[in-house]
Amino acid sequence: MKKRVAALFLAGSMVLGLTACSSSPSSSTNDSASGGSGESASGGAAAQTQANNGGADSGEVPVLRLATKLHTEQTSALEDIWAFKNLEKKFNVKFELEDLGDNSDERINQLFMADDLPDIMWMPLSTTNAMTYGVGEGMLLDWTPYMNEETMPNLMKALEDYPDALVASTTPDGKVYSLPYIRGPVYANNTGAFSGTIRVNINKAWLDKVNMDIPTTLDEFLEVARAFKAQDPGGVGAELIPVSDNQNKIKDYIWNALGFYGSGQTYGTNFAIKNGQITLPAYTPEAKEFMQTLNTMLKEGLVSPDYFTLEQDANRANVAKGIVGIFGDSTLQPAENNWQDWVALSPLSSDVNDTRVAHVNAGYSLGTYVSAKTEYPELIASILDYMYSDEGGSYYQAGPMKGTENEIDGNGWWITEDGRVVNARMEADSTATLTNGNTAWYYVAGRFDHMESFRYELAGVENPMEYRTVRDVITGKEVEMPVVDVSIFNDDNWDHHWRVIQTDAMKDYLTFIVLPPVYLTLEQKEEADDYATVINDYVTQETAKFIVGERSLDEFDAYQNELKELGIEEYINIYKDAYSGFTDATFGN
């Protein structure tokens, strides 16, 4: 707990330091209407920046080049998107819009290489481009001079609430080239349920028949699988498969039981967290435990003899046939015919790990970035600050309320008698969502954790959402999380059931600590990529040999030395150094 207090103090100090040390590029007043929750709905320096940048006072309308792309679910053309029309009207600007299209990465590279960035890149910034074109070439606007209470009050409030987002957005030179997308933690929302990696289900009907409890340790997990093998509680005979591994969920489950979290794993080649340190699981003593566990499962027939060759469709077909007792998968769809029989498994402990923990998505990511050559930095700061207000975030994702002055082209939303938020498109097309026609790319600079509650507040309707408190098992911090779609807990079909059982299994074992984006220079990335290509292939190849018995586990020490000769320690040190700011802020290392 002392470490967590220190970490929170450090992250909070970064926000306070920005507030105290950054001087506003222009003085401003904030006399606009509220955007909800006491936030400014206009951005801290909106009125003054229009004058400074040739806006309304000069009679000229600033023209901003803006490049983005449409989200995969978006059906409207870019020029028809309501969000940009709203921003043009609100800030008296004109956008020259470019749709980056399906080959957006290629187009972004072209823009960087030609030194022809638009004023605003309405897209997430990769860490490589941040290092290359921000730190290295100076082509990206550094936001730190604008990050203060006067210029960007909504952003500063968001970073106060999400200090980890500031840590993740800050490059090694202490600058911020990308303002974060902040969704925040959502309690088992309608697109998933807590841990994105640990999703393992067990047939409770079978478990009852063998008279065993839900396993809580790795050893108990193996004992349950052995009982399924020996007693055949489903009466399926020779086809019985006690454990089925789809999408490598079982492998990840084992690594997690051995103490690794913060990222997903297959053979231990993704950097992870254990005991507050950055580790590469494949180069730890626990890697032997991982190999031994899967070797045991294969030798004892606890997994299919075709374990390494079974593809997703075959794995799911086996579950559907009712011949599997435990399976890992993203949802419960393979068991839709007997979904009531299944429950989800919680994280396990083991002989080398006492903490049962699963990480959730961070709730933030890198977002919008801006050209250092723009003639309108203060104006853009105001526009993006508005995106961190409740109004800005809600309007971007869902558009305006029907019948308000902000409504354009009749696309406003309203709240039905049963509390649903709908618009005309949704009424006409059951597959449409609030975002259709309103927004372009979802993951851009802005704060979107209050957008649901804001809509009910704006409409003067009682908020029907539930709020549940989750305690972080690593930090002890309690987080209140909204239940955006309460209907998923009705538990009346397989799709609702998997979310209910996953939530029940995970809610007491969660941490919000997850590995953030890592910043490497172009040279560091090239060096790391060279190491990774060789090491990852070798680890995958040799781990498979150990698991199937082609190589004796007595040779594990020799295998670790082989990895050392391939440069794995140098590879690890690159990432340890790059993650040092994160580990210092989070664990006080």
PDB file of all heavy atoms in Angstrom, residues 53 63-65 117-120 139 141 143 146 370-380:
ATOM      1  N   ASN A  53      -6.266  33.444 -33.480  1.00  0.00           N
ATOM      2  CA  ASN A  53      -5.970  32.650 -34.662  1.00  0.00           C
ATOM      3  C   ASN A  53      -6.754  33.106 -35.887  1.00  0.00           C
ATOM      4  O   ASN A  53      -6.970  32.335 -36.806  1.00  0.00           O
ATOM      5  CB  ASN A  53      -6.261  31.177 -34.379  1.00  0.00           C
ATOM      6  CG  ASN A  53      -5.267  30.601 -33.382  1.00  0.00           C
ATOM      7  OD1 ASN A  53      -4.113  30.410 -33.708  1.00  0.00           O
ATOM      8  ND2 ASN A  53      -5.727  30.346 -32.166  1.00  0.00           N
ATOM      9  N   VAL A  63      -9.067  27.549 -41.467  1.00  0.00           N
ATOM     10  CA  VAL A  63      -9.221  26.277 -42.162  1.00  0.00           C
ATOM     11  C   VAL A  63      -8.199  25.294 -41.606  1.00  0.00           C
ATOM     12  O   VAL A  63      -6.991  25.576 -41.611  1.00  0.00           O
ATOM     13  CB  VAL A  63      -9.036  26.435 -43.683  1.00  0.00           C
ATOM     14  CG1 VAL A  63      -9.145  25.072 -44.374  1.00  0.00           C
ATOM     15  CG2 VAL A  63     -10.071  27.392 -44.245  1.00  0.00           C
ATOM     16  N   LEU A  64      -8.682  24.153 -41.091  1.00  0.00           N
ATOM     17  CA  LEU A  64      -7.814  23.134 -40.501  1.00  0.00           C
ATOM     18  C   LEU A  64      -7.888  21.858 -41.327  1.00  0.00           C
ATOM     19  O   LEU A  64      -8.978  21.330 -41.558  1.00  0.00           O
ATOM     20  CB  LEU A  64      -8.247  22.827 -39.060  1.00  0.00           C
ATOM     21  CG  LEU A  64      -8.209  23.976 -38.057  1.00  0.00           C
ATOM     22  CD1 LEU A  64      -8.775  23.511 -36.711  1.00  0.00           C
ATOM     23  CD2 LEU A  64      -6.798  24.501 -37.885  1.00  0.00           C
ATOM     24  N   ARG A  65      -6.746  21.399 -41.781  1.00  0.00           N
ATOM     25  CA  ARG A  65      -6.695  20.076 -42.424  1.00  0.00           C
ATOM     26  C   ARG A  65      -6.809  19.010 -41.337  1.00  0.00           C
ATOM     27  O   ARG A  65      -6.110  19.078 -40.316  1.00  0.00           O
ATOM     28  CB  ARG A  65      -5.387  19.882 -43.181  1.00  0.00           C
ATOM     29  CG  ARG A  65      -5.245  20.722 -44.442  1.00  0.00           C
ATOM     30  CD  ARG A  65      -3.852  20.537 -45.034  1.00  0.00           C
ATOM     31  NE  ARG A  65      -3.578  19.138 -45.373  1.00  0.00           N
ATOM     32  CZ  ARG A  65      -2.345  18.623 -45.510  1.00  0.00           C
ATOM     33  NH1 ARG A  65      -1.280  19.396 -45.287  1.00  0.00           N
ATOM     34  NH2 ARG A  65      -2.185  17.356 -45.834  1.00  0.00           N
ATOM     35  N   LEU A 117       2.151  16.753 -42.813  1.00  0.00           N
ATOM     36  CA  LEU A 117       1.071  16.370 -41.915  1.00  0.00           C
ATOM     37  C   LEU A 117      -0.055  17.394 -41.943  1.00  0.00           C
ATOM     38  O   LEU A 117       0.196  18.601 -41.981  1.00  0.00           O
ATOM     39  CB  LEU A 117       1.586  16.255 -40.477  1.00  0.00           C
ATOM     40  CG  LEU A 117       2.428  15.051 -40.091  1.00  0.00           C
ATOM     41  CD1 LEU A 117       2.800  15.147 -38.618  1.00  0.00           C
ATOM     42  CD2 LEU A 117       1.693  13.753 -40.367  1.00  0.00           C
ATOM     43  N   PRO A 118      -1.297  16.926 -41.905  1.00  0.00           N
ATOM     44  CA  PRO A 118      -2.408  17.855 -41.693  1.00  0.00           C
ATOM     45  C   PRO A 118      -2.279  18.518 -40.328  1.00  0.00           C
ATOM     46  O   PRO A 118      -1.486  18.085 -39.482  1.00  0.00           O
ATOM     47  CB  PRO A 118      -3.634  16.941 -41.757  1.00  0.00           C
ATOM     48  CG  PRO A 118      -3.184  15.694 -42.436  1.00  0.00           C
ATOM     49  CD  PRO A 118      -1.733  15.536 -42.081  1.00  0.00           C
ATOM     50  N   ASP A 119      -3.079  19.562 -40.104  1.00  0.00           N
ATOM     51  CA  ASP A 119      -3.056  20.201 -38.789  1.00  0.00           C
ATOM     52  C   ASP A 119      -3.381  19.186 -37.697  1.00  0.00           C
ATOM     53  O   ASP A 119      -2.711  19.150 -36.653  1.00  0.00           O
ATOM     54  CB  ASP A 119      -4.094  21.337 -38.743  1.00  0.00           C
ATOM     55  CG  ASP A 119      -3.759  22.475 -39.676  1.00  0.00           C
ATOM     56  OD1 ASP A 119      -2.951  23.329 -39.293  1.00  0.00           O
ATOM     57  OD2 ASP A 119      -4.295  22.479 -40.800  1.00  0.00           O
ATOM     58  N   ILE A 120      -4.400  18.373 -37.940  1.00  0.00           N
ATOM     59  CA  ILE A 120      -4.857  17.405 -36.929  1.00  0.00           C
ATOM     60  C   ILE A 120      -4.885  16.004 -37.527  1.00  0.00           C
ATOM     61  O   ILE A 120      -5.507  15.781 -38.567  1.00  0.00           O
ATOM     62  CB  ILE A 120      -6.268  17.751 -36.412  1.00  0.00           C
ATOM     63  CG1 ILE A 120      -6.328  19.193 -35.897  1.00  0.00           C
ATOM     64  CG2 ILE A 120      -6.685  16.782 -35.317  1.00  0.00           C
ATOM     65  CD1 ILE A 120      -7.733  19.632 -35.497  1.00  0.00           C
ATOM     66  N   MET A 139       8.452  17.010 -35.542  1.00  0.00           N
ATOM     67  CA  MET A 139       7.348  17.263 -36.478  1.00  0.00           C
ATOM     68  C   MET A 139       5.990  17.317 -35.775  1.00  0.00           C
ATOM     69  O   MET A 139       4.994  17.713 -36.387  1.00  0.00           O
ATOM     70  CB  MET A 139       7.320  16.189 -37.572  1.00  0.00           C
ATOM     71  CG  MET A 139       8.525  16.242 -38.497  1.00  0.00           C
ATOM     72  SD  MET A 139       8.623  14.787 -39.604  1.00  0.00           S
ATOM     73  CE  MET A 139       7.076  14.940 -40.495  1.00  0.00           C
ATOM     74  N   LEU A 141       3.428  18.451 -32.521  1.00  0.00           N
ATOM     75  CA  LEU A 141       3.227  19.478 -31.499  1.00  0.00           C
ATOM     76  C   LEU A 141       3.360  18.860 -30.117  1.00  0.00           C
ATOM     77  O   LEU A 141       2.753  17.832 -29.821  1.00  0.00           O
ATOM     78  CB  LEU A 141       1.835  20.088 -31.659  1.00  0.00           C
ATOM     79  CG  LEU A 141       1.486  21.229 -30.695  1.00  0.00           C
ATOM     80  CD1 LEU A 141       2.287  22.474 -31.046  1.00  0.00           C
ATOM     81  CD2 LEU A 141      -0.013  21.525 -30.733  1.00  0.00           C
ATOM     82  N   TRP A 143       2.338  19.032 -26.405  1.00  0.00           N
ATOM     83  CA  TRP A 143       1.172  19.593 -25.740  1.00  0.00           C
ATOM     84  C   TRP A 143       1.475  20.201 -24.369  1.00  0.00           C
ATOM     85  O   TRP A 143       0.629  20.905 -23.807  1.00  0.00           O
ATOM     86  CB  TRP A 143       0.095  18.512 -25.573  1.00  0.00           C
ATOM     87  CG  TRP A 143      -0.609  18.204 -26.850  1.00  0.00           C
ATOM     88  CD1 TRP A 143      -0.446  17.119 -27.655  1.00  0.00           C
ATOM     89  CD2 TRP A 143      -1.582  19.031 -27.490  1.00  0.00           C
ATOM     90  NE1 TRP A 143      -1.252  17.211 -28.758  1.00  0.00           N
ATOM     91  CE2 TRP A 143      -1.968  18.377 -28.683  1.00  0.00           C
ATOM     92  CE3 TRP A 143      -2.166  20.253 -27.172  1.00  0.00           C
ATOM     93  CZ2 TRP A 143      -2.905  18.915 -29.554  1.00  0.00           C
ATOM     94  CZ3 TRP A 143      -3.110  20.792 -28.042  1.00  0.00           C
ATOM     95  CH2 TRP A 143      -3.463  20.121 -29.216  1.00  0.00           C
ATOM     96  N   TYR A 146       0.477  23.718 -23.281  1.00  0.00           N
ATOM     97  CA  TYR A 146      -0.953  24.013 -23.271  1.00  0.00           C
ATOM     98  C   TYR A 146      -1.694  23.261 -22.165  1.00  0.00           C
ATOM     99  O   TYR A 146      -2.883  23.487 -21.948  1.00  0.00           O
ATOM    100  CB  TYR A 146      -1.577  23.648 -24.623  1.00  0.00           C
ATOM    101  CG  TYR A 146      -0.829  24.273 -25.779  1.00  0.00           C
ATOM    102  CD1 TYR A 146       0.194  23.583 -26.419  1.00  0.00           C
ATOM    103  CD2 TYR A 146      -1.121  25.573 -26.200  1.00  0.00           C
ATOM    104  CE1 TYR A 146       0.909  24.160 -27.457  1.00  0.00           C
ATOM    105  CE2 TYR A 146      -0.417  26.160 -27.235  1.00  0.00           C
ATOM    106  CZ  TYR A 146       0.608  25.451 -27.861  1.00  0.00           C
ATOM    107  OH  TYR A 146       1.310  26.036 -28.878  1.00  0.00           O
ATOM    108  N   VAL A 370      -1.000  16.300 -33.492  1.00  0.00           N
ATOM    109  CA  VAL A 370      -1.113  17.536 -34.268  1.00  0.00           C
ATOM    110  C   VAL A 370       0.245  17.903 -34.843  1.00  0.00           C
ATOM    111  O   VAL A 370       1.286  17.673 -34.215  1.00  0.00           O
ATOM    112  CB  VAL A 370      -1.656  18.683 -33.371  1.00  0.00           C
ATOM    113  CG1 VAL A 370      -1.548  20.040 -34.052  1.00  0.00           C
ATOM    114  CG2 VAL A 370      -3.104  18.384 -32.975  1.00  0.00           C
ATOM    115  N   SER A 371       0.239  18.494 -36.011  1.00  0.00           N
ATOM    116  CA  SER A 371       1.476  18.936 -36.657  1.00  0.00           C
ATOM    117  C   SER A 371       2.090  20.113 -35.901  1.00  0.00           C
ATOM    118  O   SER A 371       1.390  21.044 -35.497  1.00  0.00           O
ATOM    119  CB  SER A 371       1.190  19.356 -38.098  1.00  0.00           C
ATOM    120  OG  SER A 371       2.316  20.004 -38.669  1.00  0.00           O
ATOM    121  N   ALA A 372       3.403  20.062 -35.750  1.00  0.00           N
ATOM    122  CA  ALA A 372       4.106  21.182 -35.113  1.00  0.00           C
ATOM    123  C   ALA A 372       4.056  22.437 -35.977  1.00  0.00           C
ATOM    124  O   ALA A 372       4.316  23.537 -35.488  1.00  0.00           O
ATOM    125  CB  ALA A 372       5.555  20.795 -34.836  1.00  0.00           C
ATOM    126  N   LYS A 373       3.718  22.278 -37.250  1.00  0.00           N
ATOM    127  CA  LYS A 373       3.671  23.422 -38.164  1.00  0.00           C
ATOM    128  C   LYS A 373       2.327  24.146 -38.164  1.00  0.00           C
ATOM    129  O   LYS A 373       2.175  25.154 -38.845  1.00  0.00           O
ATOM    130  CB  LYS A 373       3.973  22.960 -39.590  1.00  0.00           C
ATOM    131  CG  LYS A 373       5.394  22.485 -39.830  1.00  0.00           C
ATOM    132  CD  LYS A 373       5.576  22.102 -41.296  1.00  0.00           C
ATOM    133  CE  LYS A 373       7.008  21.686 -41.604  1.00  0.00           C
ATOM    134  NZ  LYS A 373       7.163  21.305 -43.034  1.00  0.00           N
ATOM    135  N   THR A 374       1.356  23.621 -37.444  1.00  0.00           N
ATOM    136  CA  THR A 374       0.036  24.249 -37.501  1.00  0.00           C
ATOM    137  C   THR A 374       0.095  25.716 -37.102  1.00  0.00           C
ATOM    138  O   THR A 374       0.847  26.110 -36.208  1.00  0.00           O
ATOM    139  CB  THR A 374      -0.968  23.505 -36.598  1.00  0.00           C
ATOM    140  OG1 THR A 374      -2.258  24.101 -36.766  1.00  0.00           O
ATOM    141  CG2 THR A 374      -0.561  23.557 -35.132  1.00  0.00           C
ATOM    142  N   GLU A 375      -0.710  26.515 -37.775  1.00  0.00           N
ATOM    143  CA  GLU A 375      -0.797  27.929 -37.438  1.00  0.00           C
ATOM    144  C   GLU A 375      -1.803  28.179 -36.314  1.00  0.00           C
ATOM    145  O   GLU A 375      -1.926  29.314 -35.837  1.00  0.00           O
ATOM    146  CB  GLU A 375      -1.230  28.731 -38.677  1.00  0.00           C
ATOM    147  CG  GLU A 375      -0.261  28.663 -39.838  1.00  0.00           C
ATOM    148  CD  GLU A 375      -0.767  29.433 -41.053  1.00  0.00           C
ATOM    149  OE1 GLU A 375      -1.664  30.294 -40.857  1.00  0.00           O
ATOM    150  OE2 GLU A 375      -0.289  29.181 -42.163  1.00  0.00           O
ATOM    151  N   TYR A 376      -2.501  27.143 -35.881  1.00  0.00           N
ATOM    152  CA  TYR A 376      -3.602  27.330 -34.937  1.00  0.00           C
ATOM    153  C   TYR A 376      -3.501  26.414 -33.717  1.00  0.00           C
ATOM    154  O   TYR A 376      -4.446  25.704 -33.388  1.00  0.00           O
ATOM    155  CB  TYR A 376      -4.927  27.078 -35.651  1.00  0.00           C
ATOM    156  CG  TYR A 376      -5.128  27.899 -36.894  1.00  0.00           C
ATOM    157  CD1 TYR A 376      -5.001  27.317 -38.148  1.00  0.00           C
ATOM    158  CD2 TYR A 376      -5.439  29.256 -36.806  1.00  0.00           C
ATOM    159  CE1 TYR A 376      -5.192  28.069 -39.306  1.00  0.00           C
ATOM    160  CE2 TYR A 376      -5.631  30.017 -37.949  1.00  0.00           C
ATOM    161  CZ  TYR A 376      -5.500  29.417 -39.206  1.00  0.00           C
ATOM    162  OH  TYR A 376      -5.684  30.172 -40.334  1.00  0.00           O
ATOM    163  N   PRO A 377      -2.395  26.391 -33.018  1.00  0.00           N
ATOM    164  CA  PRO A 377      -2.268  25.465 -31.886  1.00  0.00           C
ATOM    165  C   PRO A 377      -3.246  25.749 -30.756  1.00  0.00           C
ATOM    166  O   PRO A 377      -3.802  24.825 -30.161  1.00  0.00           O
ATOM    167  CB  PRO A 377      -0.812  25.646 -31.439  1.00  0.00           C
ATOM    168  CG  PRO A 377      -0.434  27.015 -31.916  1.00  0.00           C
ATOM    169  CD  PRO A 377      -1.167  27.190 -33.216  1.00  0.00           C
ATOM    170  N   GLU A 378      -3.474  27.033 -30.438  1.00  0.00           N
ATOM    171  CA  GLU A 378      -4.392  27.352 -29.340  1.00  0.00           C
ATOM    172  C   GLU A 378      -5.829  26.988 -29.689  1.00  0.00           C
ATOM    173  O   GLU A 378      -6.589  26.485 -28.856  1.00  0.00           O
ATOM    174  CB  GLU A 378      -4.302  28.839 -28.965  1.00  0.00           C
ATOM    175  CG  GLU A 378      -2.968  29.255 -28.380  1.00  0.00           C
ATOM    176  CD  GLU A 378      -1.986  29.729 -29.441  1.00  0.00           C
ATOM    177  OE1 GLU A 378      -2.290  29.560 -30.647  1.00  0.00           O
ATOM    178  OE2 GLU A 378      -0.912  30.241 -29.072  1.00  0.00           O
ATOM    179  N   LEU A 379      -6.213  27.243 -30.929  1.00  0.00           N
ATOM    180  CA  LEU A 379      -7.552  26.885 -31.361  1.00  0.00           C
ATOM    181  C   LEU A 379      -7.754  25.377 -31.291  1.00  0.00           C
ATOM    182  O   LEU A 379      -8.790  24.887 -30.808  1.00  0.00           O
ATOM    183  CB  LEU A 379      -7.798  27.390 -32.781  1.00  0.00           C
ATOM    184  CG  LEU A 379      -9.125  26.989 -33.433  1.00  0.00           C
ATOM    185  CD1 LEU A 379     -10.307  27.478 -32.625  1.00  0.00           C
ATOM    186  CD2 LEU A 379      -9.186  27.522 -34.871  1.00  0.00           C
ATOM    187  N   ILE A 380      -6.776  24.636 -31.765  1.00  0.00           N
ATOM    188  CA  ILE A 380      -6.875  23.169 -31.711  1.00  0.00           C
ATOM    189  C   ILE A 380      -6.904  22.696 -30.268  1.00  0.00           C
ATOM    190  O   ILE A 380      -7.626  21.752 -29.920  1.00  0.00           O
ATOM    191  CB  ILE A 380      -5.714  22.523 -32.490  1.00  0.00           C
ATOM    192  CG1 ILE A 380      -5.821  22.873 -33.983  1.00  0.00           C
ATOM    193  CG2 ILE A 380      -5.716  21.007 -32.312  1.00  0.00           C
ATOM    194  CD1 ILE A 380      -4.633  22.438 -34.813  1.00  0.00           C
TER     195      ILE A 380
END
